[in-house]
Every structure is written in C-alpha cells, then in structure tokens.
Amino acid sequence: MSLNSLLFQALDGLAAASGLFFVAAGLSLIFGVTRIINIAHGSLYMLGTYVAATLANHIGGALGFWGGILTTAVLIGLIGAVIEVVLLRRIYRAPELFQLLATFALVLVINDATLWTWGPEDVLGPRAPGLRGAVEVLGRYLPSYDVFLIAAGPVVLIALHFVLIRTRFGRLIRAATQDREMLGALGVNQALLFTSVFALGSLLSGLGGALQIAREPANLLMDLTVISDAFVVVVVGGMGSIPGAYLAAVVIAEVKALCISIGVVTIAGVAVNVSKLTLVAEFLVMALVLIARPYGLLGRAQSMVRALAEPEDPLRPAGPALKLLGAAAVVALALLPLLARNSPYALVLGIDVLIAVLFAASLHFIMGPGGMHSFGHAAYFGLGAYAAALLVKWFALSMPPALIAAPVVALLGAALFGWFAVRLSGVYLAMLTLAFAQIVWSIVFQWSEVTGGSNGVLGIWPTAPFDNRAALFWLTAALTVVGILLLRTFLFAPFGYAMRAGRDSPLRAEAIGIDVKRVHWIGFTIAGAVCGVAGGVFAFAKGSISPETIDVSRSINGLVMVLLGGIQTLSGPIVGASVFALLQDTIMRQTEYWRALLGGVILLLVLAFPAGIVGGLGKLGTAWRRRP
Amino acid sequence: MSVLSVASLSKSFGALRAVNDVSFSVREGEFLALIGPNGAGKSTCFNMINGQLRPNAGEIRFAGRNIAGLPPRAIFRLGVGRTFQIAATFGSMTAIENVQTALISHAGETYRFWRPAAARHRERALALLNQVGMRDAALRSSRELAYGDSKRLEFAIALANEPRLLLMDEPTAGMAPRERNELIALVKRLVVERKISVLFTEHSMDVVFAFADRIIVMARGRLIADGDAKSIRENPRVQEVYFGTGKAFEPKPQSAR
C-alpha cells in the first residue's frame, strides 16, 4: 500500500461522506425538533434515487439529470410533508417508541410501493452530463462527479448552518430542539414548524438519494442500509448537531476507505483481511465514540423531554381470570399436537409463534420494566442460535447440551455488551445496542471458515426424542412457558421492583441505595439469556441458520411485536408476538406485496390502539365497567 | 456531639466558586436550617453532602468517616435519608410499594429473584405510611397522589433506612402555607421521637424561624452567619444579603438640573 493509494482512497471516502451527510443531516434535524426516530428516512432516500434515475433516463440530457435531481429533492420534501400531516401528526402524543413503529410501517409500505412501480430490477441512472470525465489526482483518475460530490457536502453544510444561525426558521428549529414545550408556550405554531422541518429533512434525504444515481443503481435494499448508516452518523456526530453529522460522516467514510486501502496485513503470522472490516467499521467507530463520549462527538446531553405519554399503572399480580386464561393457554398448547395430527403445518407455525413470543417477552423485560430500548436484541437470539448450531456442527453435540449452551453463550454476550449499554440511555442506548448487534452479524457473516458465512450452518436437526414435530412443539412450548413465568417471577420479585425503580426515577432509586446501572445490567443479561433459548430452539426448528436470521429486521420485528401488544403490560409481548407472527404468516402466503399489507395493518393498529392491543383492550374494559 | 461535620468544603464550576471554604456541623437530634438567597450555593453544598456532586476540596464527615465523593447509594447505606425539592417517587408503583422498595433495599434484598416484593416488609411499610398519615392511600398509585401527599410519601421513603441524618432539600417547596406548616410539624415530631438530625434548606422564612433549632446562612458561596432564630434575625450581614443595605430605598441625591 502506497501513500498515494491511501490518499486516493481518502478522496473517494470524502465523496461517499457527502451522500451520507445529506441523509444524516435530515434525520438529525427531524429528530431534534420532533423527537421522532424516523426509520422511513432511508426509504425517502431510496425513493429519491429511483425518481431521479427515472427522470434522468426519460427526459435525458443536462435538464433531465440536473433538473431531475432538483425536482426530485423538492418532490421528496413534499412527500415528507404529506407523511407528517397525514400520519405522524396524529401520534406525537403517543409513546416515543410507538412513533417508531409507525415509521417502520412506512418503510414496509414504501418498499412495496417502489417494487410495484419500478419492479424488482435495479434502475441504473445515466452518467452526469458535464461531469463524465475524470480528474488526474496523484497519478490516478478520480471521476469528476466525485469531485463535485466532495464539494457538495461542505456547501450544503454551510448553507444549513446559515439557515440555522441566521434565519428565524433556523432559530425556531434550534429552540424546538432545546425545549419544544417552552417554544409552544411562547405561541409558536408547532404544527407548521414540525411539518416544515419534516419537509426540509425529507428534501435533504431525497437530494442525497438523487445525487447517488451516477454512482450506484437504485435498488430495493437501499432503504435499510442507508438508514442504519445514517443512524450511526447521527449518533456519532451527536443528535441534532449538523456540523457533528458532517464530521461523523467524514470520519466513518474515511475509516472505511482506510480499511479498503490497507487490505490484507499479517499480524503475528496471521493474515488479517482488514478490508473485510468495512461492514463492521462504522459500528466499531460508533461503539468507541459512545463509550468515550456518550452524546457523540459534537453533541450535548439531551434535554429532558417531559413525558407526554401516559405513565404506567402499578403491576398487579394475575387475578383469577388471567390465571384461568393462562392455564387454558397451556392446556391448548399441550393438546395442539394431538388435535393437529392432520395438519402438520399448524405445528410448524405454532413453533414459529412460540419462538417469537419468547423472543418478544425477553425484549419486553428490558424495554418495558427496564426502560432500556434495545434495537439490537437479535444479537442474543443469534448468539444462542449460532452457539447451538456450531456446537452441533463442530463438536457433534446432541440437542440437549447444545440447547443448554445457547442461553449461556447469549448470557455472556449480553453481559459484555450490556455493561457498556446501561451506561447510556434513550436513543443513544438504542443505537449502541444496534451497533453491537451489527458487530455480531458482521462477525458471523465474515468468519466463514467457522460460521459458514452467508451460507450459514445447515443440517441442525433435532435428535431423539425431539426428532418429530409434536415432540419439538412440546419442547418449545415448555421452554416458552417456563421462560415467560421466570421473567414474570423476576418482575414481581425485589429485583423487578428495583429495575422499575431505576426506570421511574434514577435519582430516587440511587437515594435509597439501589445501584441502578448494576440492576439494569443484570436485567439486560437475563433478557439476553432467555432470548438465547429462543435462538437455540430456532436453530433446531429450522434445521439451518444464516446471518439473515440475526439481521436488523429481526431486532426491529421484536420492537414491533412488543409495541404492538403494548409495552406497559406483561401480557402485551405475548399477544403482540402472536399477532405479528400470525399476520406475517397469513399475509406472506396471500400476496407478493406482504410488506405493504403488514405495514398497512400496523399503521391501522397504531392509529386505533396507541397503547398497543392489550393496553387498548384494557381501556375498552375500563370504559365498559364505568358505563352509566 | 455532631452527626455531620463539614470542613472547608469547596466547589467551583469553571471560574465560579459556588461553595467557598464552608464549614459547619449538625449536632445530634438537631433541626438545622441552611438558608440564603438564590445563587448562594445552598443546593451545591447540599448536593455534595448527598453525594450527587464531588467536592473540589474539603471533608464531609458522617458517623466518623469521610463521605465526600461517595455515591448517593453508599451514603444511604451509612444511614442518611433524603427528600428532593421536587418530590421523587416511583410513578409505576403504589404508595406502599414505594416504601417497600426502600425497605427491601435497606435490608439488602434487592438481588432476590423469587418471593414477590409485595409480600416483603408489608407491616413495616404500613406503619411508616401510618406515621406520615398516608395509610389510607397505601394502595393508590403514587403518580395519582396530590403533591402534598407525594411529599409525605417521600418522607416515609426517606425514613425507611432508619436514618441518623435526614437531608431535606426545600421540603415545603410548591405547597400551600397551611400544608407547609402541617408537613414540617409532622417532620419535626417524627425526628424528635426518633432522635434523627435534620439538615434542610428552605425558602419559607416562616417555616425556618418557627421550626429550626439553629440556622446557618450562606451568601455567594460562603457561610456568613450561624445561630438561633433571634440572632440570625438581628444579624446585620444577614439583613444585608436578604434586603440589601437599605440604601436602595433612600432618596437619591438630586442630580443637577
């Protein structure tokens, strides 16, 4: 590796940083003002790439390309405004995470709308008119378009900075970021402000996407890749800080460029391919930054958002009705294999639902009573699944010891990651857990000699006596029921009270002698172990696992299940996971556009039951009892 | 004999010396008020004693050991209870569960995973609630309580570790005058019964002069007076920091027309 090639890669990194910056800046603005974590932000970027590529191809020439890019940015900004007015405005008062659920539903809908409009093939844009050539730099050729992008980043940064510092609109944005309640009290029209900020953020995202057409083809995977990159940039830079977003975008793009240019190095006789680190580099950077500077490079401690959501009712032990219902559910589970002799699929689906329930219940344990919103719960599922599978593959272990190893390995992983995670809170905790999950995913994906890489591990079949569907179902049911009862017992025990105390008022909890971080760390570890059981069973139920089983979408599915059921009730995750798994199954078999349908159903539920299904039913029950 | 003794305590924020070489002590069973105008350094001083801030210099001795720089939970373990300026209770729990959680922590049972918390220390929690007049509200969710009742509940929580010293940061802030006197009278009665020493900050002078055994006064980071109600009332330096020198009210010299 020569110095020249290193510098050249660094320039390439700067070009990539600009695109990243546009998306991240929009995300950061929107979060700062509305406190909504807009997962659909990446979808708007993807849409921008599709629209701009189409305009450039159809109109052609400089007008089609450059005019198309500007038109696209404005169009995406308008779409953002419509989304804000039609959907998000209705749920600003819902719990913070519920809004997340709604934006996730949008991701699903937009993805399928794109598939419907443009089809599954990638759409390639033309090369930029006027910038088709290349500039000779350091004896190599850098595309002129990259030079343009390198300059575009700082230009937009300066423009945004000017808007934020000098204009009234910018002052309102900064004021809302610091204390939106105060701003409302001063008589500022918040609805208008929120809509315009949402439009501006979406415009930036659309612009970022549109500018990519000369660099990469538009494809349907862009939405989630871009959003996870953008999250990392925002968190590393510091929430709400625009210069921070640019700095972070540059740092991350440069670290990636560095990894590529270093290539293979030999450390102590072992060849390490550093370029493979690119997948995990940004998450490593994020983990390091968050550990050293919990609020990002240029971020400040978040101002407290006064809770808008309804606080939680005290936990009540199960009454006779709930106990009866629970017993009936257990009996039904025990009888299902006998009743479903003629429909083997019922058992397959049943096992899927049970695994989802255990997964969601373990996530709820830390999300609800612990107040720790993990965005990377798939990591512990994956650790459990891979621990079991690899022990079977490499050590020819039988099923029972492999299933015991699953939670142990997940517990160790959760203890390690959790130790760092509990030092943060809110969005930062969410992003750090996501980073850890991505690190686990990357290791699994790249360490192909051991994990089988993208092919995964095949042939993990249950051994006797669990080698038939019915027995496997009973085992899964037993583990799920025991797991849920254990978590429930912990929540009613002093430990659970201490965990909720730490969530309700850390100040008060510390003042009565509770070590909040330690309690939350232990809670995180317990949840990881229980989740590992679900992962272990999953490996045997499917017979094979691949990195796909532990990617971001599983973590997000977990969040959706918990929120769908209702985060404030103990039975919420059970209902939410069952409904989600069944919906996914039924819808998936009905149509090619299952994502859009699922998204639509979630949106309906969000608008109709802002407290989740169980919470909503509880409210209906209360209203019924109080009727005149 | 003093329960708490503070010696040469100092804390700076940047160039601001918020607390500057402050020394005082709280005697056994004493009801000591720390007063001073806004920005005098009361809260900073208070937060160093309760463990939320680490002092730059000085010693805080409680029960014979230096507690400066210990975290709040360690200070609780040594026998210090506290209440906050804005009542802090656990909103997702009932009143009795709030007290039980404190009792569980005091008994060292936080890391128990089996027997339900609701069954632990129930009688003791009820007795504490009874003492602060909250027995009837035991099963109510603490977030539904009226503010005055939250303060009472917080007081019950603060008594759970059988403290030798109680730190109360503006115990009557945000309360109506009548409620205010009732609460302080209740606190005074209970601490006298239990021989608990109390250090409290307070803005209501009625409360301070009526109930405090002794008063210390801070201004601009320094301790400027120490004495009983009468001597503080007559202290010219105290009058000066609270009311100014009086010169503001004198007729201004007529400027030349």
Side-chain angles (χ1 to χ4, degrees):
Chain A
M1 174 197 62
S2 68
L3 187 63
N4 275 2
S5 85
L6 192 70
L7 286 173
F8 188 80
Q9 286 293 345
L11 282 177
D12 194 60
L14 275 182
S18 291
L20 212 50
F21 165 65
F22 294 148
V23 204
L27 190 67
S28 194
L29 277 177
I30 292 175
F31 175 81
V33 173
T34 65
R35 299 283 152 166
I36 282 192
I37 303 173
N38 182 18
I39 304 187
H41 201 66
S43 308
L44 295 175
Y45 176 95
M46 177 180 77
L47 217 51
T49 317
Y50 271 99
V51 173
T54 310
L55 286 177
N57 287 334
H58 279 255
I59 301 172
L63 179 71
F65 189 90
W66 299 109
I69 285 178
L70 291 180
T71 314
T72 305
V74 173
L75 189 69
I76 301 294
L78 285 176
I79 294 178
V82 170
I83 290 174
E84 200 275 342
V85 172
V86 173
L87 175 66
L88 297 178
R89 186 171 289 184
R90 293 170 202 283
I91 52 172
Y92 282 129
R93 300 195 78 82
E96 212 170 310
L97 280 171
F98 226 67
Q99 303 161 347
L100 192 100
L101 189 58
T103 61
F104 174 69
L106 277 178
V107 171
L108 296 174
V109 173
I110 295 178
N111 195 288
D112 263 1
T114 313
L115 173 69
W116 184 75
T117 315
W118 281 280
E121 299 294 323
D122 291 2
V123 175
L124 206 62
R127 292 208 288 158
L131 292 175
R132 290 214 171 91
V135 194
E136 197 183 324
V137 184
L138 303 163
R140 296 174 178 226
Y141 289 97
L142 188 70
S144 309
Y145 192 70
D146 282 11
V147 178
F148 163 72
L149 281 183
I150 290 173
V155 167
V156 172
L157 170 65
I158 290 165
L160 270 180
H161 191 72
F162 182 80
V163 169
L164 285 179
I165 300 296
R166 291 292 168 83
T167 66
R168 179 179 148 78
F169 179 56
R171 261 203 303 282
L172 290 179
I173 291 179
R174 286 184 294 137
T177 308
Q178 278 189 8
D179 192 335
R180 62 172 167 177
E181 200 177 52
M182 190 64 210
L183 194 68
L186 293 177
V188 171
N189 183 343
Q190 292 204 57
L192 190 63
L193 179 67
F194 281 23
T195 310
S196 44
V197 166
F198 214 88
L200 175 63
S202 306
L203 182 143
L204 282 170
S205 186
L207 180 67
L211 286 171
Q212 287 302 306
I213 55 173
R215 274 171 72 91
E216 59 175 335
N219 64 72
L220 288 166
L221 297 176
M222 286 170 105
D223 50 359
L224 284 183
T225 353
V226 166
I227 193 63
S228 71
D229 283 355
F231 270 140
V232 172
V233 168
V234 169
V235 167
V236 169
M239 282 281 175
S241 164
I242 304 295
Y246 186 68
L247 181 65
V250 170
V251 167
I252 284 165
E254 290 305 331
V255 169
K256 279 188 172 181
L258 194 69
C259 288
I260 293 171
S261 65
I262 289 175
V264 181
V265 288
T266 312
I267 301 166
V270 184
V272 179
N273 189 350
V274 179
S275 63
K276 277 193 175 180
L277 269 177
T278 46
L279 278 181
V280 68
E282 63 195 83
F283 294 103
L284 277 177
V285 170
M286 172 156 92
L288 289 177
V289 167
L290 284 187
I291 289 161
R293 287 190 59 94
Y295 301 108
L297 290 174
L298 300 185
R300 268 179 250 152
Q302 261 172 275
S303 60
M304 282 285 286
V305 178
R306 296 165 190 85
L308 292 171
E310 280 181 47
E312 192 171 302
D313 284 328
L315 281 184
R316 305 273 182 222
L322 189 60
K323 276 186 178 147
L324 208 64
L325 199 68
V330 170
V331 171
L333 286 175
L335 291 179
L336 187 71
L338 306 175
L339 298 175
R341 278 237 172 79
N342 299 323
S343 54
Y345 186 73
L347 288 187
V348 175
L349 180 59
I351 291 174
D352 278 355
V353 171
L354 285 169
I355 290 171
V357 165
L358 191 55
F359 176 64
S362 69
L363 176 60
H364 172 264
F365 186 71
I366 48 174
M367 258 177 87
M372 294 173 277
H373 303 146
S374 169
F375 273 38
H377 208 54
Y380 315 104
F381 191 83
L383 284 174
Y386 268 91
L390 293 176
L391 283 172
V392 170
K393 184 182 169 193
W394 294 107
F395 299 96
L397 235 57
S398 67
M399 187 173 171
L403 268 188
I404 291 168
V408 174
V409 172
L411 180 142
L412 293 175
L416 175 68
F417 294 153
W419 194 84
F420 295 104
V422 297
R423 263 137 248 279
L424 302 175
S425 61
V427 191
Y428 290 95
L429 179 139
M431 290 302 122
L432 189 65
T433 49
L434 173 69
F436 285 137
Q438 285 311 99
I439 290 171
V440 170
W441 180 86
S442 308
I443 291 172
V444 164
F445 190 79
Q446 304 205 334
W447 198 13
S448 43
E449 302 82 42
V450 173
T451 61
S454 58
N455 295 325
V457 189
L458 306 173
I460 317 298
W461 295 113
T463 47
F466 303 113
D467 51 353
N468 62 79
R469 280 286 153 208
L472 189 65
F473 178 85
W474 275 319
L475 176 72
T476 313
L479 287 173
T480 304
V481 170
V482 169
I484 287 171
L485 288 179
L486 262 185
L487 290 174
R488 209 181 149 85
T489 307
F490 295 165
L491 285 180
F492 281 99
F495 178 80
Y497 274 68
M499 201 158 77
R500 281 196 292 142
R503 174 200 62 185
D504 284 356
S505 171
L507 206 61
R508 169 48 74 198
E510 290 279 340
I512 60 164
I514 294 172
D515 186 340
V516 173
K517 287 203 171 78
R518 185 155 170 239
V519 166
H520 280 179
W521 177 51
I522 293 174
F524 197 95
T525 310
I526 290 172
V530 173
C531 183
V533 176
V537 176
F538 178 85
F540 284 104
K542 297 287 165 195
S544 68
I545 47 166
S546 67
E548 207 176 298
T549 58
I550 59 168
D551 66 6
V552 185
S553 61
R554 181 169 298 272
S555 295
I556 294 181
N557 285 352
L559 287 170
V560 174
M561 292 175 201
V562 171
L563 296 171
L564 203 56
I567 193 169
Q568 299 193 335
T569 55
L570 298 187
S571 43
I574 302 172
V575 175
S578 308
V579 169
F580 185 85
L582 289 171
L583 269 182
Q584 211 178 19
D585 183 77
T586 36
I587 294 176
M588 211 140 54
R589 283 187 298 162
Q590 295 300 322
T591 162
E592 186 189 351
Y593 297 105
W594 61 273
R595 282 184 213 88
L597 257 173
L598 187 62
V601 171
I602 294 173
L603 282 178
L604 258 178
L605 285 173
V606 167
L607 293 174
F609 297 100
I613 299 174
V614 176
L617 289 178
K619 282 220 182 74
L620 281 181
T622 314
W624 174 252
R625 278 192 297 277
R626 283 190 188 156
R627 73 198 185 278
Chain B
M1 202 201 122
S2 63
V3 174
L4 179 83
S5 64
V6 171
S8 313
L9 200 61
S10 296
K11 177 80 187 177
S12 304
F13 299 105
L16 175 74
R17 306 205 72 174
V19 172
N20 194 352
D21 195 25
V22 166
S23 304
F24 65 89
S25 60
V26 186
R27 294 179 203 129
E28 185 98 54
E30 190 176 34
F31 209 64
L32 177 66
L34 168 60
I35 64 170
N38 287 327
K42 300 186 302 287
S43 292
T44 308
C45 191
F46 218 73
N47 284 337
M48 285 191 280
I49 298 170
N50 65 34
Q52 261 169 261
L53 283 175
R54 180 182 283 273
N56 295 126
E59 253 192 10
I60 304 166
R61 295 198 84 80
F62 173 72
R65 60 176 287 190
N66 186 8
I67 59 167
L70 287 184
R73 57 176 181 274
I75 293 172
F76 164 88
R77 297 238 166 273
L78 293 172
V80 179
R82 56 190 278 217
T83 64
F84 294 91
Q85 190 173 346
I86 298 171
T89 56
F90 305 126
S92 73
M93 298 183 196
T94 59
I96 189 168
E97 286 172 340
N98 267 278
V99 182
Q100 280 174 302
T101 305
L103 289 167
I104 284 167
S105 173
H106 177 52
E109 298 172 346
T110 298
Y111 299 100
R112 302 286 170 86
F113 292 86
W114 302 107
R115 199 160 66 90
R120 293 168 191 261
H121 310 290
R122 207 179 157 76
E123 290 310 311
R124 176 107 182 79
L126 274 177
L128 278 169
L129 285 176
N130 195 29
Q131 281 170 342
V132 299
M134 289 281 293
R135 197 192 160 100
D136 292 342
L139 295 179
R140 284 181 58 199
S141 167
S142 73
R143 68 178 159 88
E144 291 172 354
L145 296 176
Y147 191 66
D149 288 348
S150 295
K151 288 258 175 187
R152 284 165 186 267
L153 172 58
E154 215 198 8
F155 184 44
I157 297 172
L159 291 176
N161 63 336
E162 291 163 25
R164 286 187 61 199
L165 172 69
L166 206 54
L167 301 172
M168 306 182 86
D169 194 3
E170 299 203 19
T172 68
M175 296 174 86
R178 200 177 137 196
E179 263 188 326
R180 200 179 264 183
N181 284 323
E182 279 175 12
L183 182 74
I184 287 293
L186 171 74
V187 171
K188 178 108 186 187
R189 183 166 55 77
L190 287 178
V191 298
V192 169
E193 274 172 21
R194 291 154 186 254
K195 300 192 178 62
I196 299 171
S197 314
V198 176
L199 172 65
F200 72 111
T201 62
E202 184 58 66
H203 270 296
S204 161
M205 290 303 133
D206 297 350
V207 167
V208 170
F209 288 114
F211 291 96
D213 295 329
R214 186 160 64 98
I215 300 165
I216 52 179
V217 187
M218 280 184 79
R220 298 195 180 171
R222 288 185 177 276
L223 206 62
I224 58 161
D226 179 343
D228 61 9
K230 185 166 177 294
S231 73
I232 292 295
R233 212 180 253 134
E234 289 162 2
N235 186 318
R237 287 192 68 193
V238 175
Q239 290 174 353
E240 188 186 322
V241 301
Y242 268 96
F243 305 114
T245 54
K247 281 182 183 141
F249 302 104
E250 284 168 12
K252 280 183 189 154
Q254 297 285 315
S255 52
R257 290 190 180 173

